Amino acid sequence: MMKRNFLKCQSLLVFVVAQVMFCTAQKKTVDQKADSVLQLMTLDEKIGQMNQYNGDWAATGPITKDGDKQSQIRNGRVGSMLNVTGTAHTRTLQEIAMQSRMKIPLLFGQDIIHGYRTIFPLPLAEAASWDLPAIEKSARIAATEASAAGVHWTFAPMVDIARDPRWGRVMEGAGEDTYLGSLIAAARVKGFQGKGLGNTDAVMACAKHFAAYGAAVGGRDYNSVDMSLRQLYEVYLPPFKAAADAGAATFMNSFNDLNGIPATANKLLQRYILKGQWNFKGFVVSDWGSVGEMINHGYAKNNYEAAMLAANAGSDMDMESRSYIKNLATLVKEGKVKMAVIDEAVKRILKKKFEMGLFDDPYKFCNETREKQQWDNADNINFSREIAKKSIVLLKNDAFRSAPGGDSGVLLPLSKQTKNIALIGPLVKAVRDNLGFWSYSWPDDTARIVTLWNGVQNKLSNTATMLYAKGCNINDTSKNGFEEAIAVAKQSDVVILSVGEAPDMTGEAKSRSNLHLPGVQEDLIKAIMATGKPVVVLISAGRPLVFNWIADNVPAVVYTWWLGTQAGNAIADVLFGDYNPSGRLPISFPRAEGQIPIYYNHYNTGRPARNDSDVYYVSAYTDMVNSPKFSFGYGLSYTQFKYSPVTLNKTTLHAGDKLEASVTITNTGNFDGEEIVQLYVRDVVGSVVRPVKELKGFQKIMLKKGESREVKFMLSVNDVKFYNDALKYDWEPGEFRIMIGPNAGNVQAKPVQWNR
Ligand code: BGC
């Protein structure tokens, strides 16, 4: 009894001291504030801050799977929760945290990957817009909605470069290119963090997965990564650096091992590069269970060793593996993890909690009124349609002898006067599928999500007859529905065929070795094509698929990815010409899985093939051409753009000079439209070999029908730097090739000499 009273008095004293410190802390820097809290904490409380749990209970009471998490929060043993949303739920848990001795608020983290309530296109699809302000705005809206629902922290953006479409997580990033990927990484961080942490509509960003996860061997998820340091620095790290420079509050490490060392215990990545060279001030969270998974990697004997290796390597917070909470105290007592390591990690976490303003008001993000206002906000929904339109890529638009629309004889856009339109395919009336992987299910999804069917219906006057047949399932062997589909096609003036992957075929743990359209969908398309009707094929997927027959035989092909809440309206806008498609592929589309990895910025080799038919003792396949089916940067418009010859302000330059490359683009077609003018560079001879081309600039321009505009790019030696033999980032004088064109597979080149 005496002891209990003593303890009570002691905790009261600590509480009073803590409050005083918090109050005086108002005038202190965040650094000082974090220190003042840190010095009051016990070792167990510190370790608690480094522990993150998944929420597996209902707000009304505990449903514990592994001990009572609520009492662990009350005891200061939990620093953060993931997968807990809603103002009511987060408030309940925050109230429990406020019962802990130190009253340190919890951080609520969540995978807000491409929207919260309003879902936007998949990140890979958004990358196809090459529209940085739009991408930033999509993240901004996602943050506004999520923060209104109590979320403090998103586990996004994923900035992994992905050159392998077998890898299911290719959908989460910005594709294969380092330059485009870096710009998009920064845009997304800015979007999530808005005007800065501390604002109620800003969530902390988390650049993930650090690092090189996208290069998993064979495209198999969670697999090992083995790569040179040069490739790591040059191709895979820059988007992370861009995210850090844009102020990303946190980083997440990754499941893979990198050259034999799991990323979670990788000192080179976390201590040397991130916290050292880049001077990153935020904190690093592990990936889900990745600390414990080092046992399976064969890198740690048990969780005790795993905790030691991860903490010492700079992983500040353990997501769900429980290795820290169970072992760090012993490790500190045994001297295997220094107190300084714990203090550093905890301080990084506390600082973010201060910056978020949670010490001032732990319920800052629990405002029910704001939550209601952000629920089904009309502006957000409208923007979802905007960015969805921009993400669509027109891959083919050929003439069809009886095309009912298109004043240039090509099939698209369709005329709104078309009388009979057949919509055929397993995705025509699909609802939730439109959201794709990493999106939330809400009970009213069916009423909110605009299907393709609804989108087309919204577009047409009552005079059109819409016919429907499913034809087949996405991944099925049955052709029983073909007959009905053929009959429907025969009654129509034009057929819109909607096919693709199932939305859960891409995403985490969704690697595939076969990237062809699943099931009998291609057979369905062949059967419909045999009716002789004009056919438009829409392909929905989270990755590049292989669909050569379709690309070669169907007159119009549109890549529609997974476009989110407004998918159907956005597709109808494009199909019927209310929006002229402007998307360009952010990743190469292979002709066959055997070409993978396939990317435009490869080296030339000692025996480069001169063209696709050159196979005689050159670097080529004997049964398959080298080129992709669709190049990086490719995409069509309803109008045409003519490029003038490229002009350069100088052909011989010195180190301090600026190179100005110009080209005049003319809209020669019949529609106003947007073009993405792309600039690539090759360093012809280097002390290490250089890629055949690298994107170094692009401009998205809108040209009215008949309009011309000069587009100028400025380059300096900074744009041609690379990691040389000694891994020093520098440029080398010599010959360069400056290339401009509409995509990586179609450029005109001009040589320049750049001297010291
Ligand atoms: C994924 C992360 C994600 C985390 C939390 C992991 O499996 O790799 O990207 O943020 O789960 O959901």
Side-chain angles (χ1 to χ4, degrees), residues 93-113:
L93 297 179
Q94 201 67 290
E95 278 168 0
I96 300 173
M98 289 304 110
Q99 293 161 28
S100 69
R101 191 184 77 96
M102 287 298 295
K103 307 197 177 317
I104 298 175
L106 287 168
L107 275 178
F108 296 108
Q110 188 83 16
D111 291 285
I112 311 295
I113 307 296

Side-chain angles (χ1 to χ4, degrees), residues 580 637 639-643 664-675 677 700-711:
N580 185 354
S637 162
T639 194
Q640 287 80 43
F641 298 101
K642 190 166 150 282
Y643 282 61
T664 298
I665 316 291
T666 307
N667 180 345
T668 57
N670 296 320
F671 297 82
D672 300 346
E674 287 160 288
E675 171 70 331
V677 186
K700 187 169 184 173
I701 55 164
M702 161 60 95
L703 289 180
K704 296 230 167 286
K705 179 164 113 172
E707 191 185 343
S708 289
R709 186 164 328 145
E710 188 183 25
V711 173

Side-chain angles (χ1 to χ4, degrees), residues 82 111 155 169 208-209 252 255 287-288 319 438 508:
L82 75 150
D111 291 285
F155 303 124
R169 301 195 78 166
K208 72 186 187 185
H209 305 83
M252 183 185 290
F255 289 123
D287 203 346
W288 180 294
M319 181 192 283
W438 288 119
E508 184 175 346

Side-chain angles (χ1 to χ4, degrees), residues 617-636:
Y617 288 93
V618 293
S619 179
Y621 300 106
T622 54
D623 59 350
M624 167 68 50
V625 299
N626 279 0
S627 66
K629 188 72 185 167
F630 297 106
S631 299
F632 172 82
Y634 175 85
L636 299 175

Side-chain angles (χ1 to χ4, degrees), residues 231-473:
Q231 187 159 122
L232 178 72
Y233 270 102
E234 205 163 290
V235 178
Y236 288 84
L237 292 186
F240 286 99
K241 177 72 164 59
D245 290 346
T250 69
F251 266 51
M252 183 185 290
N253 58 36
S254 55
F255 289 123
N256 56 286
D257 73 89
L258 175 63
N259 302 334
I261 316 283
T264 306
N266 203 305
K267 282 191 179 161
L268 169 78
L269 287 174
Q270 298 177 135
R271 290 250 181 250
Y272 182 73
I273 296 176
L274 180 62
K275 294 178 178 177
Q277 286 186 324
W278 298 355
N279 196 21
F280 173 67
K281 297 291 183 212
F283 69 87
V284 180
V285 63
S286 80
D287 203 346
W288 180 294
S290 69
V291 179
E293 286 178 16
M294 290 197 293
I295 303 167
N296 284 341
H297 276 285
Y299 193 70
K301 224 185 299 168
N302 46 34
N303 289 89
Y304 168 88
E305 229 179 71
M308 174 185 77
L309 292 163
N312 285 338
S315 291
D316 303 309
M317 186 181 276
D318 174 6
M319 181 192 283
E320 265 293 330
S321 95
R322 292 146 169 78
S323 306
Y324 282 8
I325 199 72
K326 290 187 179 149
N327 298 289
L328 276 183
T330 316
L331 283 160
V332 171
K333 278 169 203 145
E334 290 174 357
K336 301 223 166 97
V337 173
K338 293 208 165 56
M339 197 62 177
V341 168
I342 304 288
D343 283 348
E344 187 223 298
V346 176
K347 187 169 169 185
R348 284 173 181 270
I349 296 164
L350 291 177
K351 276 170 67 176
K352 291 302 159 201
K353 293 185 176 183
F354 272 112
E355 285 171 28
M356 292 291 288
L358 291 171
F359 277 101
D360 297 327
D361 178 6
Y363 308 107
K364 190 170 164 179
F365 295 83
C366 302
N367 178 335
E368 282 80 1
T369 314
R370 196 163 79 91
E371 185 175 32
K372 281 198 196 99
Q373 278 163 0
Q374 284 304 325
W375 203 247
D376 291 333
N377 175 310
D379 290 344
N380 300 356
I381 295 169
N382 289 339
F383 182 72
S384 172
R385 181 171 180 166
E386 283 307 302
I387 193 157
K389 289 190 286 199
K390 291 171 185 234
S391 305
I392 293 170
V393 184
L394 176 65
L395 293 177
K396 187 177 178 190
N397 191 20
D398 275 3
F400 187 83
R401 56 187 186 284
S402 56
D407 51 7
S408 57
V410 293
L411 189 46
L412 293 176
L414 299 174
S415 159
K416 287 182 193 161
Q417 312 312 320
T418 312
K419 285 272 175 294
N420 300 296
I421 300 182
L423 285 118
I424 298 174
L427 289 164
V428 172
K429 292 195 173 178
V431 183
R432 245 218 118 252
D433 302 39
N434 288 295
L435 307 189
F437 204 84
W438 288 119
S439 48
Y440 297 91
S441 289
W442 305 108
D444 56 350
D445 272 353
T446 312
R448 298 172 56 237
I449 299 166
V450 183
T451 64
L452 174 63
W453 178 265
N454 294 142
V456 173
Q457 208 166 39
N458 294 341
K459 187 65 65 186
L460 297 175
S461 62
N462 297 329
T463 53
T465 305
M466 285 170 63
L467 306 159
Y468 169 69
K470 189 171 183 187
C472 61
N473 289 321

Side-chain angles (χ1 to χ4, degrees), residues 171-182:
M171 50 119 334
E172 272 180 74
E176 78 184 41
D177 186 61
T178 304
Y179 177 84
L180 180 63
S182 300

